[in-house]
Every structure is written in structure tokens, then in C-alpha cells.
Amino acid sequence: QVHLVESGGGLVQAGGSLKLSCAVSGLPFSSVALGWFRQAPGKEREFVSVSAHYGGVTWYHDSVKGRFTISRDNAKSTLNLQMNDLKREDTALYYCAKLSTYAVDGNFSTNNVRYWGQGTQVTVSS
């Protein structure tokens, strides 16, 4: 049975940092594509970052490039998202995801996702 369990969300001031983690079980961790998506109130769920199962390849949404870093800890089967210089517009429920397909142009969507975690809330105050 597949489980994706996020942690690390919270309330932070603008300019601050948070690190999200996703504990993955029921999957061959090092052989699957994993990523982070987010959903703000009244908006659709959107792609944040994806880590390929090969070659250390990663993708980022333009809005988080240079501020967020996705990483894997294969020994702990954990996916991380280091978020720096947070902005109010980063406020959202953040979801860990196991992808079943890649987006050819790197423009990932929820259609690429096979499994979801339950989400962890990130709130950035001014």
C-alpha cells in the first residue's frame, strides 16, 4: 500500500524559510518520479517541483526557481523541499506526489500524478 506523508509546514514571516519532508512507503523510492504541488484557496492545484528517478534531474515552476530546492534521501525514502525567501503568494496547502508520467516540456500538471499525500499547510505572513 502506497503512503506519502508530508510534514514541516507552518507559519513563517515573509523572507523566512521552511523545509517540507515527505516520507514515502510502499514504492521503490529510488525508481520513481516524485514531486511537490500546492493549492491556494480558490485556485487550482499547481506544480511546484519534480525530481526525476534518474540522473538527479529536477524541474521547478518559474515562480520558485532560485528559492526552492527539491532533494531526495534514498536511505530514508524521504523527499524534501527546502523553501527559502518565502513570499505571501507561496501560502498554500503543499502536497507530495508520486508521478506516473513526465511532462515533455516540464510543465507538469495533476494529470501526471498517480498518488497524493494528505498535504501540509504553509502560511507566509507579511
Side-chain angles (χ1 to χ4, degrees):
Q1 194 169 5
V2 177
H3 289 286
L4 305 171
V5 181
E6 303 94 336
S7 61
L11 174 64
V12 64
Q13 287 190 329
S17 298
L18 281 175
K19 182 179 180 179
L20 305 183
S21 295
C22 175
V24 179
S25 60
L27 294 169
F29 182 83
S30 62
S31 303
V32 298
L34 298 166
W36 293 95
F37 287 67
R38 67 187 180 186
Q39 188 166 17
K43 295 187 177 182
E44 293 187 351
R45 196 171 298 188
E46 66 175 6
F47 150 71
V48 175
S49 181
V50 167
S51 170
H53 71 283
Y54 58 90
V57 177
T58 58
W59 294 267
Y60 295 92
H61 190 277
D62 285 346
S63 65
V64 306
K65 283 181 181 176
R67 300 189 297 121
F68 290 11
T69 303
I70 193 169
S71 63
R72 294 173 175 252
D73 185 335
N74 287 339
K76 296 181 179 179
S77 295
T78 299
L79 180 73
N80 300 307
L81 185 69
Q82 178 66 45
M83 306 186 295
N84 298 329
D85 189 23
L86 282 160
K87 305 177 187 301
R88 287 192 65 186
E89 52 264 39
D90 295 318
T91 294
L93 192 57
Y94 281 70
Y95 295 90
C96 179
K98 186 275 181 184
L99 282 75
S100 57
T101 56
Y102 286 102
V104 174
D105 56 359
N107 187 21
F108 293 91
S109 75
T110 57
N111 292 329
N112 299 113
V113 176
R114 177 67 177 88
Y115 295 107
W116 295 100
Q118 83 287 351
T120 185
Q121 178 67 39
V122 172
T123 302
V124 183
S125 64
S126 58

